[in-house]
Amino acid sequence: MSLTRLLVPASLALLTACATQPKQNVTLEKQSQCPVRLNSGQNLILSLPSNPTTGYRWSIQDSAGGVLKGLGPEVYRNPEDAGVVGAAGVSTWRFQAFAGGTGRLRLTYQQPWAPEVPPVETFDCAISVN
């Protein structure tokens, strides 16, 4: 059998496998992108606008713990091009889908020392994992 006759079917099989693979990372930046459907093993990257210099912080109220596991703490970054002290940045969390089912990813944006004051923002997203 010629090398070409072997390579063509192998190439097609590889292309088919790649086409059916879901993206490994799903990025979520707005509540309007919800609900989110993931496959087990996929990573969810949540990035929300944040400005800790005002005293406000995002706090996870429900981490969809039955279907997602955290891959580390919140990471805050300030855009380098802002050039202004106290400028807003982005808080990012990473999760991995590990079990089939559904859950809610809920966060509130408020000053931690004033829990009796309603949050100025909330993020609430339904998550389903296959």
Side-chain angles (χ1 to χ4, degrees):
M1 216 181 254
S2 73
L3 183 59
T4 305
R5 291 184 84 175
L6 290 174
L7 287 178
V8 170
S11 298
L12 288 174
L14 285 173
L15 284 174
T16 303
C18 290
T20 59
Q21 293 289 328
K23 294 187 300 185
Q24 188 62 21
N25 293 327
V26 174
T27 302
L28 187 56
E29 296 175 337
K30 295 178 256 184
Q31 191 161 320
S32 62
Q33 295 173 289
C34 297
V36 174
R37 296 183 64 91
L38 301 168
N39 292 311
S40 188
Q42 276 188 300
N43 294 330
L44 175 67
I45 301 170
L46 173 63
S47 296
L48 297 173
S50 180
N51 191 347
T53 63
T54 63
Y56 286 89
R57 299 285 315 234
W58 284 103
S59 175
I60 297 176
Q61 304 301 316
D62 188 345
S63 64
V67 295
L68 295 179
K69 66 179 175 182
L71 296 178
E74 169 190 1
V75 174
Y76 174 78
R77 66 179 162 72
N78 189 358
E80 294 178 20
D81 60 354
V84 179
V85 175
V90 175
S91 289
T92 301
W93 299 263
R94 293 177 38 120
F95 301 91
Q96 185 175 54
F98 73 93
T102 60
R104 295 201 83 74
L105 184 56
R106 291 186 320 108
L107 293 88
T108 56
Y109 191 62
Q110 64 191 120
Q111 294 172 322
W113 61 84
E116 70 283 352
V117 177
V120 294
E121 249 185 283
T122 59
F123 181 87
D124 188 354
C125 188
I127 307 290
S128 63
V129 177
N130 297 328

